[in-house]
Amino acid sequence: MSVTLRPAAVEEAQEALRGHERVLARGAGTKPALSSPPEGTVTLEVSGLSGIEDYDPEELTFTARAGTPLGEIEAALAENGQYLPFDPPLVAAGATLGGAVAAGTSGPLRYRSGGVRDFILGVRFLDGEGRLVRAGGRVVKNAAGFDLSKMMVGSAGRLGVMVELSFKVFPQPQAWATLTVDCAGLDEALALIGALATASFDLEALDLEPPGRLWLRLAGLSDAMPARLERLEGILERSGERLEGEEEGALWREVRDFAWVGGDAAIVKVALVPKRVRELEAKLEPLAVERRYGAGANIAWLAWPAERSAQDLDELLRSLDLAGVFLTGSPPRPMVGTHRGGAFAQRVKSALDPSGRFPEV
Amino acid sequence: MTQNGAGDGLLSALGAIYPPERILTSRAELAPYECDALTSFRASPRAVVLAESADEVVETVRACHRLGVPYVARGSGTSLSGGSLPIEEGIVIALNRLNRILELDPEQRTAVVEPGVINSQVSAAAAPHSLFYAPDPSSQSICSIGGNLAFNAGGAHCLKHGMTSSSVLGAKVVLPDGELVELGGDSIEPVGPDWMGLFVGSEGMFGIALEVTLRLMPSADRTRTVLSAYESLEAAGNAAAKVVAAGLLPVAMEIMDKLAIEAAEGSVKPGYPEGIEALMIVELEGDHETVDREFEQLLEVLEGAGATEVREPDDDAQRALYWAGRKSAFSAVGWLSPDYIVQDGVVPRTRLGEALAEIGRLSEEYGIRVANVFHAGDGNLHPLILFKGSEEGALERAEELAGEILRMCIRLGGSVTGEHGIAMEKRAFLPEMFGEADIEMMRRLWRAVDPAQIANRGKMFLPEDEPERGEALDSDAAPSSTAVAGTAGPPPGGGASGEARRDAR
Ligand SMILES: Cc1cc2nc3c(=O)[nH]c(=O)nc-3n(C[C@H](O)[C@H](O)[C@H](O)COP(=O)(O)OP(=O)(O)OC[C@H]3O[C@@H](n4cnc5c(N)ncnc54)[C@H](O)[C@@H]3O)c2cc1C
């Protein structure tokens, strides 16, 4: 049985960290591939470090403890007509703010608004020696010192234990609408994604369900919606199915929470660009892996079947020179495929965690 | 210290990489590289090399590492914080000849460029595809992508599109010991720790970016711009807060005060309303069906916020003129005063009115004129502190006032820099904003990435044996400090006279 520590305060977390040789942080554990401790590693659960510390709606910024459930944050923002534009996944499952940063996960809306990395303003974290470090700030613009907050995005508990985070947010659009169109196949769908890239049309989300279904999400003033939908159909040279209201919102919540991932398959995120989709499809198609492309085919979400090994996916991605990360399942290492960073990554890791308390990146 | 050419074999090492005409060592040749746009710091390096390829840069860094010679990379030399100030015992690696756009892929919305490419050239190349490069520092027609990346440059339109960091997807980098690494990639969404995000804004201290993959944005279907006038600077600041609070999300929201307006009218003549205390330019972008409606809402907010006049430009030419007035403000102030300091600080945007009132009070207390131009949408102030360098002690008093303004920013919960960086100018203020452990962590990072401490040594952190507080703005790395602040650095390639330097802005 592995040991789990639940500090209720930053000082306790520091003590807990210093008292153990191998430590891995966990929020709510919604991304177990990242938070399951390797052999001999103690779990430092930060859910006790929870709560919004400061939220000024007029400033459109907030600061919260790392273990705060995203649902609590989204609710507080919604009361003031605001939201998290990076659209974090697994909110309904209880995901925490710190977990979203550590996993570096953004949802469908990141296509237009940007990802976690574009909204994070500041962080307080414990390094591998248990020192409390602050970086960035609470204001929306800040160029003082190295941008350690960005580095924490996607760090998966390998570089530090976050205890507090500051973010900027956006005002909620008045209305949302979705257009779904079916293409003859992958080539046609990719051609449309390419055409939309230069079309001067504001799309919040652009998802591809292979081979040929496109999901296009719009936001803005409700009065303007019908005319925009019509113009969009003109750009696509075809009409689609329109969806608005409660149903529309529910649809995207299901997408971002991976309701489409069946059974015990593991959720894997892969970074790519649209022109790489065909190669990946050629490899995945024969394996009958469920998948979906987000952010205008800049992300591939895979449902990797439990009966297939993580190593197979690692090799598959390496052969394409793509990087991926397991969010769920129990791979030996969450990072798969070809990761960049090389000597820079090693040196940064050695500065933050000289005694190797956290798992390898 | 070693003399030029003597001792450690530096010049012969450089001679093995460059033809003689691309190694500058004479006083006259070095002069244009003595400073960047923060001209109160000057230092003459042992040599400047004009690199023309990434391989040459890598070879140079390796030679520097082997010989223990510090280096400073230089793009266009427009840093306002001393980022590209040379190190006397080191060399400058000029990157402005690495200026090729290597690839532009409209369907992926990416461009791959060399670091010396000028910011505005990226947008120019992307324009035929209805795309553009979003970060637009006022210096965009002269500053380089490498310099933008090193300083996480901002601009008027970063309010909606984010700083440089949001537009840099990947880079090939040579680390300070000559090792090559790739950071990030070409996708807008990274996987794994965001090494690229950490490298952006590292002020040249983590190595040199040799090739950069940029994110392009689709140009807007409709752009609407409005200029509004106010009876006081504070009223303008409060109007900006009201626009944000109304839930509008402008792409840009900029304020200029009376002095800045006067300067603009004296130079580019944008034709702003006459006799006003402050003006604000707000721009909305997006689909025309939305923007045209939001624009009506914006006008209502502005009128409700006490605007005395609200004006929409007649056409694109007039809009461009309104922006030219704003974007040339730093240089135009040269029209009002022989010397000035361009400051850069951030306050929470809800406290803009308060901050501006305090700057006004300080300006009166010191008897020093301060012109204000700033990015109101994100609370990023640019007070321009006017002084006459020829007057005994004037620079020191201007710097003292600048320091008070920065401390106010910290007190209000903001930052000592929004976009110009720490470099030389604000080394003494980093410890006022951050605690010891925070700064120690940054130093540890630098030491890990650059164990020999040769990349831009002396910037960002105070030398470790010096007291961390209360350091005046001159330093031992810049012994020939002259009393000229705020005049522009030499244009790329250099060699300009003092007059031309001011024109370059
Ligand atoms: C009139 C005027 C207006 C300005 N307006 C703005 C503004 O609106 N917003 C803003 O943010 N800034 C502004 N600036 C400041 C300046 O233009 C920016 O900081 C710009 O990013 C510097 O680019 P550069 O090419 O001149 O860099 P340089 O001054 O040559 O170098 C700056 C730093 O970058 C490092 N560097 C350069 N190239 C590389 C590379 N390839 N890899 C790693 N490090 C590198 C250098 O070592 C140095 O530390 C303005 C400056 C002036 C003079």
Side-chain angles (χ1 to χ4, degrees):
Chain A
M1 237 346 263
S2 70
V3 180
T4 300
L5 308 163
R6 288 192 187 78
V10 172
E11 299 71 33
E12 282 178 37
Q14 271 175 302
E15 229 167 87
L17 194 147
R18 288 181 172 141
H20 297 85
E21 265 175 41
R22 303 254 179 281
V23 177
L24 180 61
R26 182 173 74 193
T30 60
K31 289 159 288 258
L34 300 173
S35 59
S36 300
E39 238 345 269
T41 300
V42 162
T43 295
L44 190 67
E45 202 185 278
V46 299
S47 53
L49 306 175
S50 177
I52 299 171
E53 290 181 350
D54 182 25
Y55 168 40
D56 181 353
E58 282 191 37
E59 192 64 35
L60 287 110
T61 58
F62 72 85
T63 297
R65 296 195 186 94
T68 313
L70 286 162
E72 188 180 323
I73 292 167
E74 287 197 335
L77 295 176
E79 267 178 42
N80 292 281
Q82 298 176 359
Y83 74 126
L84 298 171
F86 58 90
D87 203 15
L90 300 168
V91 174
T96 62
L97 183 63
V101 174
T105 40
S106 311
L109 295 177
R110 89 88 65 218
Y111 178 57
R112 182 164 136 88
S113 303
V116 184
R117 71 188 303 273
D118 302 300
F119 288 86
I120 190 169
L121 302 176
V123 65
R124 290 206 307 151
F125 67 95
L126 304 178
D127 73 2
E129 303 297 292
R131 289 174 287 227
L132 182 62
V133 177
R134 183 169 63 91
R138 293 184 175 198
V139 278
V140 296
K141 203 167 174 186
N142 180 10
F146 298 138
D147 200 347
L148 301 180
S149 324
K150 283 229 170 53
M151 174 194 70
M152 283 294 159
V153 177
S155 62
R158 270 70 179 161
L159 299 174
V161 178
M162 289 173 268
V163 298
E164 183 193 279
L165 291 150
S166 297
F167 269 85
K168 64 175 176 176
V169 300
F170 276 172
Q172 278 269 13
Q174 194 187 75
W176 301 91
T178 292
L179 190 73
T180 321
V181 299
D182 284 307
C183 304
L186 187 63
D187 287 345
E188 199 178 287
L190 290 172
L192 285 186
I193 290 177
L196 287 164
T198 56
S200 297
F201 187 92
D202 288 342
L203 280 178
E204 304 303 310
L206 172 57
D207 273 27
L208 162 66
E209 190 186 322
R213 174 166 284 198
L214 290 178
W215 306 77
L216 305 98
R217 194 173 198 201
L218 286 65
L221 300 174
S222 47
D223 283 357
M225 221 48 103
R228 288 176 66 207
L229 282 163
E230 202 160 303
R231 190 154 62 90
L232 179 57
E233 288 179 330
I235 295 169
L236 299 170
E237 294 177 340
R238 74 197 66 206
S239 54
E241 196 186 319
R242 296 180 183 190
L243 207 57
E244 280 173 87
E246 187 40 47
E247 217 183 321
E248 196 266 358
L251 169 98
W252 287 100
R253 273 194 299 280
E254 283 182 11
V255 171
R256 80 167 182 178
D257 286 341
F258 306 107
W260 55 274
V261 173
D264 49 4
I267 303 166
V268 181
K269 171 185 158 182
V270 177
L272 79 178
V273 284
K275 67 180 174 196
R276 305 298 307 282
V277 169
R278 269 188 210 89
E279 293 162 76
L280 183 60
E281 279 294 296
K283 298 255 184 197
L284 293 175
E285 181 79 271
L287 302 182
V289 174
E290 273 186 280
R291 61 214 179 264
R292 187 179 174 105
Y293 295 86
N298 275 266
I299 307 172
W301 294 106
L302 316 183
W304 193 247
E307 62 275 15
R308 291 192 187 278
S309 81
Q311 195 176 344
D312 287 351
L313 181 57
D314 185 46
E315 278 162 22
L316 188 159
L317 293 177
R318 275 176 204 274
S319 73
L320 297 174
D321 198 26
L322 294 175
V325 59
F326 274 85
L327 301 184
T328 63
S330 43
R333 287 165 59 92
M335 308 289 176
V336 284
T338 314
H339 283 261
R340 317 251 178 239
F344 184 71
Q346 286 159 15
R347 294 178 199 183
V348 172
K349 167 81 173 167
S350 75
L352 282 144
D353 183 21
S355 39
R357 208 169 242 115
F358 308 131
E360 281 300 308
V361 177
Chain B
M1 273 301 123
T2 335
Q3 289 305 301
N4 278 0
D8 56 17
L10 173 68
L11 287 187
S12 61
L14 296 177
I17 307 170
Y18 300 93
E21 66 274 17
R22 290 200 278 122
I23 307 174
L24 315 182
T25 52
S26 76
R27 261 200 91 84
E29 285 173 323
L30 296 179
Y33 295 91
E34 271 179 7
C35 65
D36 54 25
L38 179 71
T39 55
S40 53
F41 290 94
R42 282 169 193 276
S44 193
R46 290 174 64 188
V48 174
V49 291
L50 310 177
E52 289 184 354
S53 72
D55 285 346
E56 286 179 353
V57 177
V58 174
E59 287 308 308
T60 312
V61 169
R62 288 183 179 158
C64 283
H65 185 253
R66 200 171 59 240
L67 300 168
V69 172
Y71 71 82
V72 176
R74 181 178 171 114
S76 302
T78 67
S79 165
L80 285 164
S81 55
S84 38
L85 174 77
I87 300 169
E88 292 223 318
E89 65 274 21
I91 65 164
V92 168
I93 306 175
L95 301 170
N96 50 299
R97 294 187 181 188
L98 274 83
N99 58 1
R100 283 157 291 221
I101 295 180
L102 302 172
E103 197 187 309
L104 198 144
D105 187 336
E107 295 201 351
Q108 328 298 315
R109 289 182 181 163
T110 54
V112 181
V113 307
E114 291 186 326
V117 166
I118 300 301
N119 173 301
S120 59
Q121 287 171 356
V122 182
S123 283
H129 308 286
S130 301
L131 295 169
F132 73 109
Y133 178 61
D136 63 334
S138 300
S139 50
Q140 69 190 119
S141 61
I142 47 170
C143 65
S144 73
I145 292 298
N148 291 173
L149 183 154
F151 270 49
N152 194 14
H157 291 78
C158 289
L159 178 55
K160 186 160 179 186
H161 300 304
M163 309 280 288
T164 296
S165 198
S166 292
S167 290
V168 172
L169 304 176
K172 284 191 184 142
V173 167
V174 56
L175 297 179
D177 60 352
E179 185 148 356
L180 289 165
V181 292
E182 283 185 42
L183 309 177
D186 48 8
S187 170
I188 58 173
E189 180 81 352
V191 167
D194 192 351
W195 307 121
M196 191 67 250
L198 174 61
F199 190 86
V200 174
S202 59
E203 303 200 355
M205 299 175 72
F206 285 166
I208 301 181
L210 302 170
E211 203 179 290
V212 189
T213 304
L214 301 173
R215 176 190 192 186
L216 303 174
M217 305 284 276
S219 14
D221 175 49
R222 176 85 95 228
T223 303
R224 297 281 298 267
T225 311
V226 62
L227 190 152
S228 49
Y230 299 86
E231 278 172 351
S232 72
L233 188 55
E234 245 185 293
N238 291 332
K242 288 212 167 96
V243 173
V244 174
L248 290 161
L249 208 65
V251 276
M253 184 151 61
E254 302 282 311
I255 293 180
M256 299 170 70
D257 73 359
K258 192 180 174 143
L259 262 183
I261 295 168
E262 196 185 310
E265 292 298 345
S267 53
V268 294
K269 304 193 175 25
Y272 294 145
E274 278 168 33
I276 59 173
E277 287 296 320
L279 69 77
M280 176 158 81
I281 304 175
V282 188
E283 196 157 280
L284 297 179
E285 260 183 25
D287 290 348
H288 67 271
E289 299 91 340
T290 314
V291 169
D292 288 345
R293 286 178 171 82
E294 284 177 348
F295 195 72
E296 298 305 314
Q297 201 189 334
L298 172 63
L299 296 182
E300 274 171 36
V301 173
L302 295 177
E303 266 150 31
T308 54
E309 189 175 339
V310 173
R311 232 193 239 183
E312 194 178 358
D314 296 332
D315 49 27
D316 284 349
Q318 195 172 24
R319 184 206 333 275
L321 202 56
Y322 283 180
W323 274 118
R326 162 61 188 90
K327 290 201 171 181
S328 68
F330 290 179
S331 51
V333 166
W335 217 76
L336 299 178
S337 169
D339 302 291
Y340 54 98
I341 295 174
V342 179
Q343 255 314 335
D344 168 42
V346 185
V347 297
R349 41 199 169 183
T350 45
R351 304 188 74 174
L352 263 179
E354 195 181 334
L356 294 168
E358 177 65 8
I359 293 175
R361 196 192 61 72
L362 286 168
S363 158
E364 239 166 68
E365 185 187 311
Y366 276 77
I368 295 177
R369 290 188 301 168
V370 178
N372 284 288
V373 277
F374 53 95
H375 310 301
D378 37 30
N380 188 183
L381 305 168
H382 287 315
L384 304 164
I385 301 165
L386 315 188
F387 68 99
K388 212 188 251 171
S390 56
E391 273 172 20
E392 180 72 29
L395 170 66
E396 288 70 21
R397 280 183 50 71
E399 286 177 344
E400 206 179 297
L401 171 55
E404 293 231 28
I405 293 174
L406 293 178
R407 288 189 185 98
M408 171 198 75
C409 292
I410 299 175
R411 222 168 35 240
L412 292 178
S415 170
V416 296
T417 172
E419 52 186 27
H420 296 170
I422 300 288
M424 288 306 289
E425 190 201 14
K426 288 179 179 161
R427 294 189 309 173
F429 290 91
L430 202 64
E432 298 202 23
M433 193 173 150
F434 289 104
E436 246 169 68
D438 313 332
I439 292 185
E440 185 41 40
M441 170 53 77
M442 294 186 212
R443 278 190 197 272
R444 221 173 14 250
L445 265 175
W446 180 45
R447 281 195 295 263
V449 176
D450 178 14
Q453 313 238 304
I454 58 169
N456 230 347
R457 170 196 294 173
K459 312 287 173 68
M460 193 176 307
F461 309 117
L462 289 168
E464 285 187 76
D465 40 40
E466 265 183 50
E468 296 241 319
R469 265 160 222 275
E471 191 211 39
L473 287 178
D474 45 45
S475 86
D476 50 352
S480 50
S481 173
T482 62
V484 195
T487 51
S497 72
E499 276 310 302
R501 290 179 189 198
R502 192 175 296 268
D503 288 349
R505 310 176 75 185

